[in-house]
Amino acid sequence: MEIKFFKPKSEILQKYIEGYYFLTKKETEPTVEYLTFPNNYSIISVYQDTEIVFTENQALVKEKIGNPFESDLICHYKKPIKIICEGNLNEVTFYFKPLGLNAFITKSLCYYTNNFFSKFFPFEDYEKTMLHILNENDFEKRCEMIENYWLSKLNGFSHPFLNELIVDLKNDYSMAELAKKYNTSRQNINKHFESNLCKTPSDFKKTQRFREALKSQMNNKNKNNLTSLSYDMLFYDQSHLIKDFKSLTGLTPKNFFKNISSQEDGEVNWLFV
């Protein structure tokens, strides 16, 4: 199985899209199983000749000739997801930054989500265009096609406070402080989070801390000890860090960092099983 990760070349798209990767797998290669962990991105995956079979916190991704196009959106999982890949696979996955996908769709994000994984067909020309991309063997041409397509769908996203508020959440403001700062109520903040991010502020904050801790450790060759990591990432203490890691990964931080695999310069973090 091969993964190629790309950052948008367009400075405009860089504001909204963290990146995207191309995954290819040959039938002759063995079945691949891995765990992927919660983050605050909106993730869209598109496939060709593929069937996805979902069960609780698990997705079997397998070749199915005659099922030419599959498109799924996920943006609100709280537990690790086990992915099982079988047979030939041709996949493109997009990582949209928090609130990023809202700049392209015509309705609130929650409109497009209902289940664990939601079928995602937002535009009339979406399936046709994505199939053209999947059928392009030159990855550089793929990237050009992808960026041109998303630029053509860009509408922008404005909100009275969400863009600034998610930055404040990363800086550990309390909900009471944020409600006062933006002259609104905690209930109203929760409502707008559910509508535009498909998660609560507390879930966003918890996931963000986890992701920042993961990034810090993966970029630090010497690896911080848990006490330092707890302090640096604004956990209350080491027990808080351990509790959150167990909740989001099913593992203690020590076992998680021992086994996690970093793909494509740390942009894709999976645990192979």
Side-chain angles (χ1 to χ4, degrees), residues 151-202:
L151 283 170
S152 75
K153 300 301 180 184
L154 181 61
N155 295 313
F157 176 75
S158 60
H159 191 277
F161 56 78
L162 272 182
N163 288 289
E164 293 79 12
L165 192 146
I166 63 173
V167 175
D168 287 337
L169 269 181
K170 296 176 184 179
N171 293 324
D172 208 35
Y173 282 81
S174 70
M175 288 301 295
E177 290 172 327
L178 291 173
K180 182 178 181 180
K181 179 177 180 178
Y182 294 101
N183 193 29
T184 187
S185 66
R186 296 175 63 174
Q187 291 81 3
N188 194 44
I189 291 174
N190 283 326
K191 182 183 75 172
H192 285 278
F193 257 77
E194 291 286 359
S195 178
N196 295 289
L197 288 153
C198 296
K199 53 176 61 74
T200 66
S202 61

Side-chain angles (χ1 to χ4, degrees), residues 2 35 53 73 113 132 171:
E2 183 178 16
L35 297 175
V53 180
L73 167 66
T113 62
H132 283 163
N171 293 324

